[in-house]
Amino acid sequence: MTFGVFMHKDGSIYDDIPEVHYQFPKSYLSRAQQMAGDWIVYREPVKIPNSKGFFAVAKFERIIPDPTEPDRYRAVIEEGSYLPFEPTVPHIANGEQVERGVLNEEGKVSGRAQAAVRPLSHADFARIISLGLPDEDFLPRSDEEVIEDNRVREHQTPFEIERPIVQSLVSKPFRDRAFRRAVMHAYDGRCAVTGWKLVNGGGRLEAQAAHIRPVEHGGPDSVRNGLALSGTAHWMFDRGLIGFRDDLEIIVHRKVNDREGVESIINPTGKLKAPEIESYRPHPKFLSWHREFHGFDA
């Protein structure tokens, strides 16, 4: 098994839901089989305008035949393993390729960089994770620092960097901090229901990072499964008093006893204040789950 890279572009011909599964053609099957059971990072192609570069990490659980497309397969993502990067990691940092395994002997980007599915070295994996999920407790501190000037020392042996990274990726406190950071950035700290952006005297945002489909019900720590909500809106959403249609219209559940009071805090547009970046907006799959779970459509 080995770390890997999955290339993903929104709106492509492939039926990808990065938090759930990644679709790929048969030509990549043997390569994908080497990575099954290990962690992968998602990368947006360089040619996309304003490319996010590397934007998430997830554990690639297993491969299944695609149920709808012959000669295609799905890499199934382990439930609860997906985690978005904040900040996203550019293709080039400090004038150097972040993924150095794509360089040839002359130090130039090789054709291998175009492969949608490819293995990733331990050093490249560590470098990308340290840039995309910065955290003071992320890696161990010692006389032989693993991280130096945002780069991983190439002479580190794999086990020295792999163990603390994987331990952090499955740590709930670490994941909670990373999820909140990503959601607050996507929504600019503004409540998606009220439109308020309140900051307390200590400079802390009042809004909270909420899951649309909770983790305990199989929801991922993904921005598309997240919302920035004020305390009151968060409380109402978690209890199914308010929800969202796929077009992001805010709906109030029929069981609410003070409908006028609830409607009074909804922003004037009547719609969720969604991020401008399309790939950060709530996914209909998660919004639908929330409506069904709380009986909005019953």
Side-chain angles (χ1 to χ4, degrees):
M1 295 188 295
T2 185
F3 298 127
V5 174
F6 284 171
M7 197 81 79
H8 169 77
K9 179 179 71 172
D10 289 332
S12 76
I13 63 171
Y14 293 99
D15 179 23
D16 297 341
I17 303 179
E19 302 91 334
V20 181
H21 61 75
Y22 178 81
Q23 189 186 62
F24 62 90
K26 187 176 182 179
S27 58
Y28 286 125
L29 179 59
S30 61
R31 190 176 296 173
Q33 288 171 332
Q34 300 173 34
M35 300 183 284
D38 219 324
W39 294 80
I40 58 92
V41 294
Y42 281 106
R43 181 176 183 174
E44 204 170 61
V46 176
K47 294 182 179 179
I48 292 180
N50 303 313
S51 172
K52 297 194 297 283
F54 298 91
F55 63 90
V57 62
K59 190 171 184 182
F60 168 17
E61 186 179 80
R62 67 187 190 279
I63 299 170
I64 61 172
D66 190 88
T68 59
E69 293 286 341
D71 294 325
R72 288 188 185 177
Y73 294 83
R74 286 187 180 182
V76 178
I77 300 303
E78 183 176 293
E79 187 176 287
S81 68
Y82 182 95
L83 198 61
F85 291 154
E86 175 50 40
T88 55
V89 181
H91 304 285
I92 297 176
N94 300 320
E96 297 181 301
Q97 286 286 334
V98 172
E99 186 186 353
R100 297 179 191 166
V102 298
L103 300 178
N104 58 27
E105 293 180 359
E106 290 75 35
K108 297 181 180 180
V109 177
S110 66
R112 180 169 171 267
Q114 305 303 316
V117 176
R118 58 179 181 271
L120 185 70
S121 73
H122 289 262
D124 280 349
F125 181 77
R127 182 182 304 107
I128 293 164
I129 298 299
S130 68
L131 292 172
L133 295 171
D135 190 283
E136 62 182 9
D137 298 321
F138 184 49
L139 293 176
R141 303 301 179 192
S142 67
D143 292 336
E144 287 292 317
E145 289 285 330
V146 176
I147 302 296
E148 181 182 72
D149 297 328
N150 287 333
R151 288 178 289 179
V152 178
R153 290 184 178 178
E154 298 296 338
H155 66 263
Q156 291 288 341
T157 55
F159 73 89
E160 290 178 300
I161 57 178
E162 179 179 349
R163 180 174 295 178
I165 287 176
V166 172
Q167 287 175 341
S168 291
L169 292 177
V170 299
S171 162
K172 188 178 186 304
F174 179 84
R175 295 183 65 86
D176 287 346
R177 291 194 297 271
F179 175 71
R180 172 179 167 77
R181 186 169 59 234
V183 171
M184 289 298 103
H185 172 78
Y187 284 81
D188 191 31
R190 190 177 302 279
C191 173
V193 169
T194 65
W196 303 335
K197 186 177 181 180
L198 302 177
V199 182
N200 67 17
R204 183 175 177 81
L205 290 164
E206 184 267 347
Q208 304 166 359
H211 288 85
I212 299 171
R213 180 170 183 166
V215 172
E216 57 266 30
H217 290 289
D221 290 315
S222 159
V223 172
R224 299 196 303 176
N225 186 43
L227 296 168
L229 296 175
S230 67
T232 299
H234 191 174
W235 183 89
M236 291 193 296
F237 182 73
D238 282 355
R239 285 154 184 78
L241 303 183
I242 58 173
F244 305 94
R245 300 196 190 281
D246 288 352
D247 66 358
L248 305 186
E249 177 189 352
I250 301 171
I251 49 179
V252 180
H253 202 285
R254 62 184 181 282
K255 67 185 177 184
V256 169
N257 68 319
D258 183 10
R259 190 179 189 90
E260 184 178 348
V262 172
E263 291 177 343
S264 70
I265 69 168
I266 294 175
N267 75 82
T269 70
K271 287 197 168 188
L272 181 152
K273 291 281 189 179
E276 292 185 7
I277 299 175
E278 185 72 28
S279 60
Y280 289 163
R281 295 182 179 184
H283 196 287
K285 175 185 177 72
F286 305 127
L287 295 177
S288 174
W289 181 93
H290 182 269
R291 292 195 305 271
E292 292 176 9
F293 184 80
H294 291 287
F296 277 90
D297 303 324

